[in-house]
Amino acid sequence: MLKLGYRSFSIRSRVFKLSPQEYVNQVQQEKIENEQFKQTLSQDQLEYNPKILSSHKLTKTRPIPINVELLKYKPLRLPKTHGDEMATLTLRGYDEDNLIRVGEFALRTAYYLGIPMSPLMALKTEKRLYTVIKSPFAQAKTKQNFHRITYKKKLVAYDANPEIIDLWLSYINKNKFSDVEYKATVSSYESLNYHEELKSLQEFNLPDAYEGIEDPVAKKVQELLHSDSFKKHL
């Protein structure tokens, strides 16, 4: 997001909407509400009072689903079992609200797929200032500043099957935001005797696409494919 501004020097006093005591009371109230919500989740039965979707006759007795009711709260997360990192999802964009929406959507999706997740972590914010002249002729001495702020968030998935991780990432990619950049890093784990398993594999058979061709370029390609220097990089 590019913001247009002019270079100026001024002293402004920061205005707070809440007093320090009101802010402390607000934080304490949020902590109390979160603790109450956790206690209700730990009980055998949840206190669920269904609401009416609309006043239409066909949906008069239809309640709001529990997963829709949970949208009012923070995303639920499953506890880690072993702590093995399976995937890291990095979000990058110019609108922090969209990053939070995408992060919460990914957390809710992972919860229903049974993937333990880390909380939505904020990375270092990138700030850049571009200064250009206002015009090349009469206003050449006047400068304009363009301020761009790039926000970054990160999620880490733990202790899940690689197929479930692929399903999770594909679903997020299917419902992605156009103004958010996604970057996923998937980790794989092998056994200690992985090198022995590689040695036991049969020799890789190259395709015989260049057999019977008299083209000198094709013969050179075939010679390179069967060379030892090429096979050691497979």
Side-chain angles (χ1 to χ4, degrees):
M1 180 182 296
L2 296 178
K3 296 183 179 180
L4 177 62
Y6 297 94
R7 179 175 296 178
S8 61
F9 300 91
S10 62
I11 300 176
R12 298 181 181 179
S13 60
R14 191 174 180 181
V15 179
F16 293 93
K17 296 182 179 180
L18 299 177
S19 63
Q21 186 62 34
E22 291 176 349
Y23 178 74
V24 172
N25 295 336
Q26 182 180 358
V27 173
Q28 292 178 354
Q29 183 65 24
E30 291 178 356
K31 290 182 179 180
I32 294 174
E33 292 178 356
N34 291 334
E35 290 296 331
Q36 292 177 354
F37 177 65
K38 291 180 181 179
Q39 291 178 1
T40 55
L41 289 178
S42 61
Q43 296 176 0
D44 296 335
Q45 295 182 356
L46 296 176
E47 297 181 0
Y48 175 55
N49 298 322
K51 299 180 181 179
I52 305 301
L53 284 178
S54 64
S55 59
H56 198 273
K57 294 182 179 180
L58 297 178
T59 60
K60 187 175 181 180
T61 59
R62 181 182 177 185
I64 296 178
I66 185 65
N67 56 346
V68 179
E69 286 283 345
L70 290 176
L71 292 176
K72 299 186 299 183
Y73 304 96
K74 293 182 179 180
L76 300 176
R77 293 186 292 114
L78 298 174
K80 294 183 289 186
T81 55
H82 299 86
D84 297 333
E85 293 187 7
M86 300 302 299
T88 302
L89 180 63
T90 306
L91 308 174
R92 186 173 180 269
Y94 305 124
D95 191 351
E96 190 175 12
D97 293 337
N98 284 345
L99 292 184
I100 295 176
R101 292 190 186 97
V102 172
E104 291 187 353
F105 174 76
L107 286 173
R108 298 181 196 278
T109 306
Y111 175 78
Y112 292 114
L113 288 176
I115 304 175
M117 296 292 298
S118 68
L120 185 61
M121 297 176 287
L123 300 179
K124 185 178 180 180
T125 302
E126 179 182 349
K127 298 181 180 180
R128 289 193 177 185
L129 180 65
Y130 301 91
T131 303
V132 296
I133 59 176
K134 188 174 182 180
S135 67
F137 182 60
Q139 306 292 335
K141 294 184 179 180
T142 305
K143 308 296 182 181
Q144 281 184 324
N145 292 334
F146 295 90
H147 191 202
R148 188 179 71 180
I149 302 178
T150 305
Y151 301 96
K152 299 178 183 179
K153 304 286 184 181
K154 185 178 75 170
L155 287 171
V156 182
Y158 299 93
D159 307 329
N161 192 297
E163 296 179 356
I164 303 299
I165 295 294
D166 293 340
L167 178 62
W168 174 61
L169 293 176
S170 62
Y171 186 74
I172 293 174
N173 186 39
K174 181 180 178 181
N175 300 276
K176 63 182 179 180
F177 280 38
S178 59
D179 58 343
V180 177
E181 179 183 349
Y182 298 74
K183 181 180 179 181
T185 304
V186 181
S187 304
S188 60
Y189 296 88
E190 302 292 343
S191 59
L192 295 177
N193 57 348
Y194 180 67
H195 64 287
E196 297 179 357
E197 296 177 358
L198 289 179
K199 292 180 180 179
S200 62
L201 294 177
Q202 297 180 359
E203 186 177 357
F204 181 73
N205 295 323
L206 295 173
D208 299 330
Y210 297 98
E211 294 291 341
I213 299 179
E214 298 181 356
D215 187 5
V217 178
K219 291 183 179 180
K220 187 62 177 178
V221 171
Q222 184 181 7
E223 180 182 352
L224 292 175
L225 290 177
H226 289 283
S227 62
D228 296 335
S229 59
F230 178 78
K231 290 182 179 180
K232 70 179 182 180
H233 294 290
L234 292 177

